[in-house]
């Protein structure tokens, strides 16, 4: 939702394709949170609720202490996955670009990855490693993309390199695993690193000098 609303400030129309739970869908809340030019295209997981992540926060320092996730991240029933994949194969070519927020919660199977890489006119990917997917959701599951935005630990996990300079990790390893020329690696308080084809690595500093709340502040 956050991604769709941000992009909608630069586009005439944004379609948000997502997976909701058949029960406790929270669909009314989701629709009320969308910008006026964002259209929701929901699919539904049978017998499950929409993924909800609750954070227990220390109010004094606005620091996350623990997260509790309510989700079903098992493989989707074949009929539901087929509906999603058929929609993607039929519709992706109609869009100027596709932004994939892949949290590793079961919506995107290997067949859908192939469709996204083949059909999207411009493919931007954020594949997240989090406590729920335990490192099984690496960005390298996508063989190619036009643009990738991940954080430093996600880049290192994708190529199993803990210690090399991040410039080497991306330029010499990650690019070989993926057919992609453009990367942004977010780097916490240090800002982010920008890698583009045939250009030197550029660093964009953090835009804030006072951090108030980083919870939910991702790419």
């Amino acid at each position: 939702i956050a991604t769709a609303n941000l992009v909608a400030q630069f586009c005439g129309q944004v379609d948000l394709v997502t997976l909701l739970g058949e029960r406790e869908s929270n669909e009314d809340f989701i629709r009320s949170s969308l910008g006026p030019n964002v259209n929701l295209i929901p699919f539904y997981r049978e017998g499950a609720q929409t993924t909800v992540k609750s954070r227990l926060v220390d109010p004094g320092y606005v620091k996350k202490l623990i997260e509790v996730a309510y989700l079903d991240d098992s493989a989707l029933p074949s009929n539901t996955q087929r509906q999603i994949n058929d929609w993607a194969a039929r519709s992706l070519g109609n869009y100027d670009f596709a932004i994939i927020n892949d949290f590793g919660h079961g919506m995107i199977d290997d067949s859908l990855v192939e469709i996204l890489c083949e059909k999207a006119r411009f493919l931007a990917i954020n594949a997240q490693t989090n406590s729920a997917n335990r490192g099984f959701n690496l960005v390298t599951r996508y063989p190619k993309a036009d643009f990738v935005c991940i954080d430093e630990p996600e880049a290192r996990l994708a190529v199993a390199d803990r210690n090399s300079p991040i410039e080497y990790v991306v330029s010499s390893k990650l690019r070989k695993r993926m057919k992609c020329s453009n990367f942004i690696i977010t780097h916490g308080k240090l800002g982010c690193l920008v890698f583009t084809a045939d250009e030197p690595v550029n660093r964009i500093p953090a835009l804030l000098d006072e951090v108030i709340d980083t919870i939910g502040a991702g790419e």
Side-chain angles (χ1 to χ4, degrees), residues 151-176:
D151 64 23
E152 182 186 11
E154 288 164 345
R156 293 187 180 280
L157 280 170
V159 297
D161 188 330
R162 177 182 291 178
N163 297 314
S164 298
I166 189 61
E167 293 83 357
Y168 176 80
V169 168
V170 177
S171 298
S172 299
K173 290 190 171 183
L174 193 52
R175 277 181 173 161
K176 290 182 179 179

Side-chain angles (χ1 to χ4, degrees), residues 7 28 81 87-88 118 129 133 138 142 148 155 189 191 195 201 203 206 208 212:
V7 173
D28 290 342
Q81 190 70 64
W87 180 92
E118 178 185 351
T129 294
N133 65 45
L138 303 178
Y142 296 85
V148 166
K189 66 181 181 181
F195 299 80
V201 178
R203 182 179 290 277
L208 298 177
I212 299 172

